[in-house]
């Protein structure tokens, strides 16, 4: 990382409970920043160093103003004219009595006097009022470059009146919703930051370039994770050598259990890597805010996650893969699912219907004596699509989830089906051929390339 001596640094300040920490969390792409409905959650100034590889900047989360009127009164005693104001603020943070009487103001003003620029946050869904003027006045007294962000927490009702007021104090005023701002909006905000301090322009331009590149890289890495997962899940067999046929028979259940566990763990491992790739690891651990797709072996869900019957029929025309009975098997559980598809499937029964029938189990006699009990692989032609559908769904959630947003996400099992509909015919044919190879335990040679066209073909609106 190359932080210049005069590091680009921004302190996010404002009234308590206006989304300051949320803004830090989303911009820092860090879901460990404390965000809460409780006013006064942030009690210290916490610095977050954002390192994008070739550049970086600092974001400082601060406690909200608690007694701005009294603090301004104190300051006014110390400065008779404008040229003395910034020195008065410095005296305020150095003063022991002020440190006792105004701990929050001292903590939030300190980073500003150390060189950070001001990002002043207000809530555009609450009316403007004179009670904000004391804190805006104090911020002006610091003499630091500043920008105001209107966070429309519940709605945009008062955005216009806020703009009128803020423009009196801040050169740049913009609306920014940390929960919803998509990646492009986040980049625009970073670009706006660079207007605050000419010295920081190059660094921030590099940060924007780095982040853009990172997003493309994340996609590539996600595709590689999925191609490895597909190959592993479609090929995996659990087998054990025993002496007699009877022993092999009695081993079946255990092998099936181990097999299912291995498969489920392998998928979970890929999901965890995907969360880490998007720096959403904390989210899942702390609040289970990331909702994984339901159990892989809940075959009632296969119809939902994989292809539907119409699509499978289209595959059969394209690749000659399926016919009659095979098609019915591929939509395992469809008769149970018809009523549930379309609505929310959260909390849907997760019975393990038929999981043992999906992976073949067999007993082979060995040439040199003894027997081999074998569980797997799953040859169901819809299985690779199920794996892709589940992974793609989680990918879409993570990609669009801002780090300030700690809520649960809604399931959308239609992602894969919609994506395939949007693919060029030639591309979807290649995808179907790959899936056929996978379901037959062959090597799918251009899997990464095919998945790339699936991931990038179109963006489904989130
Ligand atoms: N719906 C919605 N909620 C928001 C938004 N921004 C913040 N919140 C919520 O508002 C509450 C306060 O957000 P924080 O980011 O903790 O606010 P803060 O200004 O850091 O608060 P203190 O540290 O207590 O001063 C949290 O429950 C957030 O989830 C927003 O844009 N939309
Ligand atoms: Mg906070």
């Amino acid at each position: 990382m190359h932080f210049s001596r005069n590091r680009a640094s921004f302190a996010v300040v404002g009234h308590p409970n206006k989304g300051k920490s949320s803004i830090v969390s989303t911009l820092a792409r860090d879901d460990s920043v404390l965000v809460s409905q409780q006013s006064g959650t942030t009690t210290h100034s916490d610095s977050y160093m954002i390192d994008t590889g070739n550049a970086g900047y600092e974001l400082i989360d601060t406690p909200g103003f608690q007694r701005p009127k009294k603090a301004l009164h104190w300051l006014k005693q110390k400065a008779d004219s404008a040229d003395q104001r910034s020195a008065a603020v410095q005296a305020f943070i150095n003063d022991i009595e002020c440190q006792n009487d105004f701990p929050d103001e001292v903590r939030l003003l300190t980073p500003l006097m150390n060189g950070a620029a001001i990002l002043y946050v207000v809530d555009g869904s609450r009316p403007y009022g004179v009670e904000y003027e004391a804190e805006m006045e104090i911020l002006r007294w610091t003499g630091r470059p500043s920008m105001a962000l209107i966070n429309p927490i519940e709605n945009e009702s008062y955005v216009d009146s806020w703009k009128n007021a803020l423009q009196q104090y801040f050169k740049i005023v913009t609306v920014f919703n940390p929960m919803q701002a998509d990646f492009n909006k986040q980049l625009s905000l970073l670009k706006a930051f660079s207007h605050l301090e000419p010295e920081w322009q190059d660094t921030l331009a590099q940060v924007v370039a780095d982040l853009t590149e990172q997003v493309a890289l994340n996609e590539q890495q996600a595709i590689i994770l999925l191609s490895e997962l597909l190959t592993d899940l479609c090929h995996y067999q659990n087998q054990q050598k025993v002496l007699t046929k009877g022993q092999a028979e009695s081993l079946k259940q255990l092998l099936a259990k181990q097999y299912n566990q291995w498969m489920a763990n392998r998928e979970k491992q890929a999901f965890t890597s995907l969360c880490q790739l998007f720096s959403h690891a904390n989210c899942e651990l702390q609040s289970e805010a990331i909702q994984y797709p339901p159990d892989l072996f809940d075959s009632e869900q296969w119809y939902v996650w994989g292809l539907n019957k119409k699509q499978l029929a289209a595959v059969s025309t394209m690749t000659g893969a399926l016919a009659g009975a095979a098609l019915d098997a591929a939509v395992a559980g469809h008769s149970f699912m018809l009523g549930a598809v379309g609505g929310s499937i959260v909390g849907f029964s997760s019975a393990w219907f038929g999981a043992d029938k999906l992976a073949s189990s067999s007993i082979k006699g060995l040439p040199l004596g003894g027997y081999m009990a074998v569980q797997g692989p799953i040859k169901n032609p819809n299985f690779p699509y199920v794996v892709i559908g589940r992974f793609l769904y989680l990918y879409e959630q993570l990609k669009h989830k801002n780090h300030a947003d700690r809520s649960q996400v809604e399931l959308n099992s239609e992602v894969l089906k919609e994506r395939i509909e949007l693919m060029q015919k030639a591309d979807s044919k290649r995808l179907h051929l790959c899936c056929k190879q996978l379901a037959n335990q062959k090597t799918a040679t251009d899997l990464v390339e095919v998945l790339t066209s699936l991931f990038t073909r179109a963006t489904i609106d989130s």
Side-chain angles (χ1 to χ4, degrees):
M1 181 176 25
H2 311 280
F3 280 133
S4 65
R5 260 194 308 136
N6 188 3
R7 172 174 60 221
S9 172
F10 303 87
V12 184
V13 299
H15 243 52
N17 223 28
K18 300 299 177 197
K20 299 182 297 296
S21 299
S22 301
I23 288 175
V24 170
S25 176
T26 286
L27 290 179
R29 311 178 84 69
D30 183 337
D31 61 1
S32 70
V33 179
L34 277 185
V35 165
S36 145
Q37 282 182 332
Q38 203 159 3
S39 180
T41 297
T42 309
T43 53
H44 286 85
S45 284
D46 298 319
S47 159
Y48 295 86
M49 296 290 184
I50 290 117
D51 178 0
T52 58
N54 300 306
Y57 70 104
E58 180 184 29
L59 271 179
I60 303 162
D61 192 14
T62 72
F65 281 96
Q66 294 291 346
R67 304 171 67 204
K69 260 188 168 160
K70 291 219 163 67
L72 184 60
H73 180 75
W74 189 99
L75 289 168
K76 281 183 172 165
Q77 319 272 308
K78 301 282 168 183
D80 297 325
S81 54
D83 60 320
Q84 298 171 0
R85 288 177 180 169
S86 135
V89 178
Q90 187 63 54
F92 176 85
I93 62 180
N94 290 345
D95 187 278
I96 306 275
E97 268 182 38
C98 289
Q99 289 167 10
N100 283 327
D101 295 348
F102 306 99
D104 297 284
E105 281 75 10
V106 167
R107 283 174 192 145
L108 77 93
L109 290 170
T110 301
L112 299 177
M113 297 314 287
N114 288 340
I118 297 166
L119 301 178
Y120 180 64
V121 180
V122 300
D123 176 0
S125 54
R126 294 289 172 88
Y128 173 74
V130 284
E131 66 270 26
Y132 294 91
E133 286 171 12
E135 65 197 43
M136 292 196 286
E137 188 65 13
I138 294 175
L139 293 173
R140 189 154 65 180
W141 279 43
T142 66
R144 298 300 304 148
S146 62
M147 175 172 174
L149 302 178
I150 305 173
N151 175 15
I153 293 191
E154 275 159 34
N155 52 58
E156 305 212 348
S157 301
Y158 298 95
V159 166
D160 289 338
S161 73
W162 270 108
K163 275 187 183 159
N164 287 336
L166 291 167
Q167 274 154 1
Q168 316 266 323
Y169 292 86
F170 302 91
K171 246 195 313 195
I172 309 176
V173 177
T174 185
V175 176
F176 185 80
N177 183 332
M179 298 288 210
Q180 286 164 14
D182 64 16
F183 184 61
N184 285 330
K185 285 222 182 74
Q186 294 173 33
L187 291 188
S188 305
L189 185 63
L190 281 172
K191 286 175 195 161
F193 286 0
S194 68
H195 296 298
L196 293 181
E197 178 72 85
E199 265 189 79
W200 297 342
Q201 261 173 25
D202 291 347
T203 305
L204 291 170
Q206 186 62 53
V207 165
V208 168
D210 282 358
L211 287 174
T212 310
E213 197 180 334
Q214 222 168 60
V215 163
L217 270 177
N218 275 356
E219 184 173 271
Q220 274 173 28
Q221 277 185 277
I223 288 166
I224 290 170
L225 283 176
L226 173 58
S227 72
E228 289 169 356
L229 175 69
L230 269 170
T231 309
D232 285 356
L233 291 187
C234 292
H235 284 76
Y236 183 63
Q237 269 190 333
N238 187 20
Q239 51 188 34
Q240 190 155 340
K241 242 163 94 172
V242 283
L243 289 174
T244 68
K245 206 168 178 173
Q247 283 172 331
E249 279 293 345
S250 58
L251 210 62
K252 263 185 171 175
Q253 248 189 339
L254 179 67
L255 284 187
K257 196 172 159 212
Q258 285 177 343
Y259 174 86
N260 289 356
Q261 256 166 14
W262 189 94
M263 299 279 281
N265 283 342
R266 179 66 187 85
E267 191 193 41
K268 182 89 195 261
Q269 184 197 344
F271 288 166
T272 307
S273 303
L274 193 61
C275 288
Q276 282 165 354
L277 192 62
F278 285 93
S279 315
H280 271 297
N282 278 307
C283 205
E284 189 242 334
L285 293 177
Q286 284 177 0
S287 59
E288 294 185 339
I290 298 286
Q291 173 100 38
Y292 287 125
D295 203 292
L296 175 64
F297 283 101
D298 180 358
S299 63
E300 287 183 27
Q301 303 273 0
W302 280 25
Y303 179 61
V304 176
W305 291 109
L307 297 187
N308 58 34
K309 205 160 181 170
K310 184 170 148 262
Q311 286 175 322
L312 280 163
V315 172
S316 96
T317 336
M318 275 191 202
T319 67
L322 304 165
L327 187 59
D328 281 338
V331 257
H334 70 280
S335 54
F336 297 88
M337 282 308 300
L338 286 176
V341 180
S344 163
I345 55 168
V346 182
F348 190 78
S349 127
S350 60
W352 277 45
F353 167 76
D356 53 333
K357 297 190 190 77
L358 297 171
S360 63
S361 77
S362 63
I363 296 169
K364 295 176 193 154
L366 297 174
L368 297 176
Y371 290 85
M372 182 79 91
V374 185
Q375 179 71 22
I378 295 179
K379 293 184 173 163
N380 187 304
N382 208 3
F383 184 63
Y385 296 99
V386 173
V387 176
I388 297 173
R390 290 158 63 87
F391 188 92
L392 193 58
Y393 146 74
L394 188 62
Y395 170 83
E396 283 294 324
Q397 289 189 70
L398 292 168
K399 189 173 153 184
H400 296 297
K401 191 173 175 64
N402 283 352
H403 291 77
D405 178 4
R406 314 288 163 85
S407 64
Q408 279 219 331
V409 274
E410 272 185 38
L411 291 174
N412 177 7
S413 58
E414 295 302 305
V415 175
L416 173 69
K417 294 178 185 72
E418 291 172 16
R419 277 293 166 94
I420 289 181
E421 301 296 334
L422 288 167
M423 282 174 98
Q424 303 275 344
K425 198 148 190 190
D427 285 341
S428 64
K429 185 169 180 184
R430 284 167 68 213
L431 173 71
H432 298 320
L433 283 171
C434 270
C435 286
K436 186 183 171 186
Q437 287 166 330
L438 284 164
N440 291 328
Q441 289 69 54
K442 301 215 173 79
T443 309
T445 40
D446 55 353
L447 186 56
V448 168
E449 215 180 307
V450 166
L451 291 176
T452 304
S453 80
L454 176 70
F455 273 57
T456 56
R457 172 50 47 206
T459 309
I460 304 291
D461 291 333
S462 57

